[in-house]
Amino acid sequence: MRDVQPRQNSAQQIAVDHDNVRDLFRRFKAEQDKTQQAILANTLIREMAIHSDSEEISVYNDLGKYGLGNIAAHNREEHAEVKKLVYAADDASIDQGDYVAIMSAAVEGFLDHAGEEERDQLPKLVEKLSAEENDALAREFLKARRVVPTRPHPSAPVSGGIGQKAAGLQGKLHDKVIETLGGRKFADVKYAHSEV
């Protein structure tokens, strides 16, 4: 008997990332220990970076097919701004007096964008998708999460095309080296994506 995988929902898979960032930020703000706070900050940065690039090379590329190309352009602009904020948080030290403010600016920018997606954009998209298209888009997003950089690269292409994918593969390798040599540690996330 053949294993049949359950259908995926693109809006739900995208919201997993949003929910993880919300939870991580709540934990970051409540944490008093600088070492644990740094681990949460590393995880916030990683989750926001992966999410942004994954959407750009998967979901945003398909929005035009469904008459939502203007949303893709708007979101790419917002992502460019959020990536700059996330990069500033990645570049700053947890020991800086203004670090919480720097991280807060990045997360709040990300979550403002996430709220707009959840309230307005994703319902419009899902309404236009057949169950098969929704499943395919969710799977494309989940596969993209495995190949994109784990740190912000605000000067990299955001077109969602081959240039961004190539830069992403190079960036992912670079990020792995930086994370390994720097001894970065990461916290567990609360919400899990479906396996595909």
Side-chain angles (χ1 to χ4, degrees):
M1 188 168 159
R2 194 178 84 168
D3 252 353
V4 178
Q5 290 187 335
R7 288 233 167 111
Q8 302 298 321
N9 181 299
S10 56
Q12 289 173 351
Q13 293 305 319
I14 290 167
V16 166
D17 289 345
H18 298 168
D19 290 341
N20 276 325
V21 170
R22 287 180 186 106
D23 177 65
L24 288 162
F25 190 48
R26 179 193 55 75
R27 291 161 52 194
F28 172 83
K29 290 188 299 185
E31 185 60 60
Q32 298 300 310
D33 180 79
K34 284 278 191 200
T35 301
Q36 291 303 312
Q37 198 175 40
I39 290 169
L40 291 163
N42 289 340
T43 311
L44 275 163
I45 290 163
R46 182 187 66 190
E47 291 301 309
M48 290 186 288
I50 290 171
H51 176 80
S52 295
D53 278 353
S54 297
E55 278 187 328
E56 290 165 10
I57 67 170
S58 62
V59 178
Y60 294 175
N61 283 346
D62 284 352
L63 288 174
K65 288 194 283 190
Y66 303 104
L68 301 171
N70 59 329
I71 290 174
H74 168 75
N75 286 353
R76 283 193 170 99
E77 288 175 13
E78 283 191 352
H79 274 206
E81 293 305 312
V82 170
K83 284 180 184 183
K84 290 176 188 172
L85 295 169
V86 176
Y87 181 82
D90 190 40
D91 194 44
S93 167
I94 193 82
D95 295 319
Q96 284 180 226
D98 62 345
Y99 186 76
V100 171
I102 293 169
M103 177 58 79
S104 294
V107 173
E108 288 165 7
F110 178 91
L111 292 177
D112 286 348
H113 171 73
E116 183 180 3
E117 281 186 338
E118 291 171 357
R119 278 187 318 275
D120 305 324
Q121 299 169 1
L122 292 173
K124 285 179 188 173
L125 174 62
V126 170
E127 182 179 286
K128 293 178 179 279
L129 299 173
S130 68
E132 293 80 16
E133 290 167 328
N134 195 0
D135 178 70
L137 188 57
R139 290 174 187 281
E140 190 178 340
F141 172 74
L142 293 171
K143 288 176 186 171
R145 287 183 48 80
R146 294 190 291 239
V147 299
V148 298
T150 56
R151 295 176 56 240
H153 297 275
S155 59
V158 295
S159 64
I162 191 74
Q164 184 172 3
K165 290 177 183 176
L169 289 173
Q170 183 179 8
K172 184 171 180 73
L173 177 61
H174 174 265
D175 294 348
K176 187 65 175 169
V177 170
I178 296 296
E179 290 168 359
T180 302
L181 293 177
R184 287 188 182 206
K185 295 180 181 174
F186 300 94
D188 290 333
V189 293
K190 184 174 181 178
Y191 305 100
H193 287 283
S194 298
E195 295 292 323
V196 292

